Amino acid sequence: MQSYVLVISLLLMIVVAAVFWWVVGHSAANAEHEPIRHVEGYRNGLFRGLVVLGIVVAVGTLRPWPYGVSAADDAVIVTATGSQWSWEIAPQEVPVGRPITFKVTGDDVNHGFGVYDPDGTILFQTQAMPGYVNQVRYTFTKPGQYRVLCMEYCGLVHHDMIDKIEVK
Ligand code: CUA
């Protein structure tokens, strides 16, 4: 099956390449181009404007992402390890308004570390995988009791892999 897909893909690529080849080969002829020459300036301006708009939108929407945050700040480190079928979270009490870096791993199989606010809305989640430490950064803005639920089916008692984080 996969080799058919490969052959079909290659054939289609050859067709596309042939079309490009034909277009490039015929683009030197000026006769068809002459009647629309007056839109060229407008089109170039539109293109440059769209490039600038794209850069502004990309930079503007990427800037608030957390990836630029340095590790050498005053973040509280919380380690969380999932194992069948409980969490080991330390410390379980964290301050409100300070960035928390969760370092999440798994002991046996894959688990999902999901944190819910007191109203039951999920705030963030990451995988708890054996052999890997995934990091999530979060700043709690309200005190309360937050729930930790396993987000990945990990066996018989998956549904009971519930713990809590106290934000004070
Ligand atoms: Cu651990 Cu589901």
Side-chain angles (χ1 to χ4, degrees), residues 83 85 87 109-112 150-155 158-159 161:
S83 52
W85 287 278
W87 291 104
V109 298
N110 275 18
H111 302 272
C150 186
M151 305 292 289
E152 176 142 348
Y153 183 71
C154 55
H158 154 77
H159 62 277
M161 248 183 103

Side-chain angles (χ1 to χ4, degrees), residues 2 27 37 45-46 49 57 102 117 127 138 143 153 161 166:
Q2 230 170 356
S27 64
R37 195 179 275 288
L46 183 68
V57 169
F102 291 91
D117 73 6
Q127 289 254 298
Y138 191 79
Y153 183 71
M161 248 183 103
E166 199 79 48

Side-chain angles (χ1 to χ4, degrees), residues 41-52:
Y42 167 73
R43 192 189 57 185
N44 288 349
L46 183 68
F47 176 74
R48 290 198 185 102
L50 284 175
V51 168
V52 170

